[in-house]
Amino acid sequence: MLISEIFHSLQGEGELTGTPAVFVRTSGCNLRCRWCDTPYASWHPEGERLAPAEVLERVACFPSRHCVLTGGEPMIAKGIHELAAGLKAQGRHITIETAATVPPGGIACDLASLSPKLASSAPDRPRDEAWWRKHEALRRQPAVIREWIDHYPYQLKFVFTSPADITEVEDLLEAVGRAVPREKVLLMPEGISAEASRARGIELAEICKARGYRYCHRLHLDLFGHTRGT
């Protein structure tokens, strides 16, 4: 499997914000988000070829019980089910950060961090016309989301760029066809700096207060900035 990086940090987003964790970032993605903050794992995949057993050896060097499988899109990584099973055998708590375009297939997972992509994520046209078409055809998968939330503890995390996103979020939740509690929906301001995130977050905070969704802070930007390995 192509691994972009393995590092020890604090979870910066979601219900486990602040929790020490080992991050395994796979390289490669089936989407191409316009605002992707890890282009080295998506637009221009790079990394080291490692067998799942080699990844497990490196993860074992770190003390944290929590492990986060992220990307890119970890669910398309060859050997991801074997890796997750190995992490579970090590006694790890496993969070999988996925865009929810690929069914779980029985993968070992303690928290499915589902981040479906909204229309605002689409690549620019006409410069990236081919990827725009692929992205739009794949990004919205209500049935896949339903399969994840039916079988795993979950959180639904959406990147917020403007108030127009909220209508799309609510349309998607209706299409999923499950009673998703408002507190399981986390809205995260788009931005690759603490300043940009904070500026958009002021508007988002009011929306969360009015509609009952959770505001998703980005702790790693505050602590480390937009830096690899954090």
Side-chain angles (χ1 to χ4, degrees), residues 157-171:
K157 187 173 64 178
F158 295 93
V159 174
F160 171 86
T161 62
S162 75
D165 292 337
I166 304 304
T167 298
E168 191 177 354
V169 167
E170 293 179 342
D171 286 346

Side-chain angles (χ1 to χ4, degrees), residues 26-32 72-80 101-102:
T26 65
S27 197
C29 191
N30 56 356
L31 299 176
R32 289 297 185 273
E73 173 50 70
M75 290 302 298
I76 67 169
K78 186 177 181 180
I80 193 66
T101 61
V102 179

Side-chain angles (χ1 to χ4, degrees), residues 4-21:
S4 173
E5 54 187 351
I6 300 172
F7 59 93
H8 190 217
S9 189
L10 302 178
Q11 175 58 270
E13 301 170 356
E15 295 179 354
L16 295 176
T17 293
T19 303

